[in-house]
């Protein structure tokens, strides 16, 4: 991946900010430029109730300026987003672009599948079984029962695996990232674990 290129973050109504926040923070700390894309430049409300102002609209996207695209989950009823042809057309330009990392969390692999980006790729998706089995665009033989799946340039993860998602993206883009980065709280509580020094 080319560190001179930018990171695209695709947002849509009720996107789940927390599922990608660690990944975005990690990439920001590496000095990567992150550009937020939406259908238009109107504020987009995320699942957490924040209004996000996109940097650019989908029609302003120039694919060769980017080496990664991030997609988060979708809260509430995701049907309108999944079946929106504008997102499908936007994502189809990534078909055959193995030089671009595609990282998708929670239910958003459904967007990838509908656009044809999961063809011959192993993947996971965070959906109720009843909803998933009604969708005919998944290649179910490649569905993995796992918190995170990496297949070539595609990373898919469950929403609860947002730490592992961040680590996988950071590493795939060529940066060092320890297994314990963004680690969970350890029990029993040890006060010494909560002493931090700048030298660390």
């Amino acid at each position: 991946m080319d560190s001179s290129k930018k990171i695209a973050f695709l947002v849509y109504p009720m996107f789940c900010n927390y599922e990608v926040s660690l990944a975005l923070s990690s990439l920001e700390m590496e000095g990567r430029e992150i550009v937020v894309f939406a259908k238009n430049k109107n504020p987009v409300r995320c699942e957490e109730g924040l209004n996000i102002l996109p940097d650019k609209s989908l029609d302003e996207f120039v694919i060769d300026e980017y080496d990664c695209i991030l997609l988060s989950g979708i809260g509430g009823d995701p049907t309108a987003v999944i079946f929106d042809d504008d997102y499908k057309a936007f994502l189809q330009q990534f078909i055959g672009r193995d030089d671009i990392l595609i990282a998708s969390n929670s239910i958003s692999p459904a967007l990838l599948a509908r656009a044809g980006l999961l063809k011959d790729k192993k993947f996971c998706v965070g959906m109720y079984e009843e909803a998933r089995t009604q969708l005919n665009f998944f290649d179910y033989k490649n569905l993995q029962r796992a918190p995170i799946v990496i297949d070539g340039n595609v990373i898919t993860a469950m929403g609860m695996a947002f730490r592992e998602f961040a680590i996988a993206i950071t590493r795939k883009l060529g940066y060092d990232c320890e297994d314990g980065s963004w680690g969970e709280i350890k029990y029993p509580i040890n006060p010494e674990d909560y002493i931090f020094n700048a030298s660390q």
Side-chain angles (χ1 to χ4, degrees):
M1 302 298 174
D2 185 348
S3 62
S4 68
K5 293 193 174 185
K6 294 173 277 194
I7 309 293
F9 176 32
L10 179 61
V11 299
Y12 20 74
M14 293 294 284
F15 74 94
C16 303
N17 185 62
Y18 84 90
E19 292 175 349
V20 294
S21 60
L22 292 183
L24 293 170
S25 180
S26 184
L27 295 171
E28 179 72 21
M29 287 191 295
E30 296 294 346
R32 299 301 302 272
E33 181 180 351
I34 298 164
V35 183
V36 180
F37 283 88
K39 286 182 71 168
N40 53 52
K41 291 184 180 178
N42 295 331
V44 181
R45 194 168 184 84
C46 68
E47 184 182 34
E48 295 84 355
L50 304 175
N51 287 316
I52 305 299
L53 190 62
D55 298 305
K56 295 188 176 186
S57 58
L58 297 184
D59 59 2
E60 294 179 284
F61 183 74
V62 179
I63 194 167
D64 289 329
E65 295 179 2
Y66 298 84
D67 68 350
C68 176
I69 182 166
L70 303 181
L71 294 84
S72 73
I74 312 162
D77 180 1
T79 307
V81 174
I82 292 172
F83 287 96
D84 189 313
D85 288 337
D86 289 334
Y87 299 121
K88 178 182 178 181
F90 172 77
L91 290 168
Q92 284 178 327
Q93 66 188 304
F94 293 90
I95 294 173
R97 292 299 302 257
D98 294 342
D99 58 322
I100 299 176
L101 178 62
I102 301 167
S104 177
N105 201 310
S106 188
I107 199 172
S108 66
L111 288 167
L112 302 185
R114 185 166 184 259
L117 288 166
L118 295 183
K119 182 176 172 57
D120 301 322
K121 296 281 187 182
K122 291 182 171 56
F123 68 93
C124 63
V125 61
M127 296 183 74
Y128 290 122
E129 292 295 299
E130 296 84 354
R132 182 185 54 75
T133 55
Q134 293 177 17
L135 303 177
N136 63 5
F137 43 75
F138 280 108
D139 187 355
Y140 289 116
K141 73 178 185 297
N142 290 323
L143 174 63
Q144 307 293 297
R145 306 296 186 178
I148 186 166
V149 177
I150 303 171
D151 190 342
N153 67 316
V154 177
I155 299 173
T156 52
M158 297 291 186
M160 79 275 287
F162 56 90
R163 293 180 185 88
E164 293 80 4
F165 187 60
I167 292 168
I169 291 166
T170 306
R171 287 177 173 170
K172 198 76 170 170
L173 289 173
Y175 304 105
D176 291 332
C177 194
E178 297 179 4
D179 286 337
S181 297
W182 315 111
E184 297 182 35
I185 295 172
K186 300 175 190 174
Y187 294 98
I189 299 296
N190 179 359
E192 291 182 3
D193 290 335
Y194 298 90
I195 300 170
F196 305 100
N197 296 295
S199 61
Q200 294 173 320

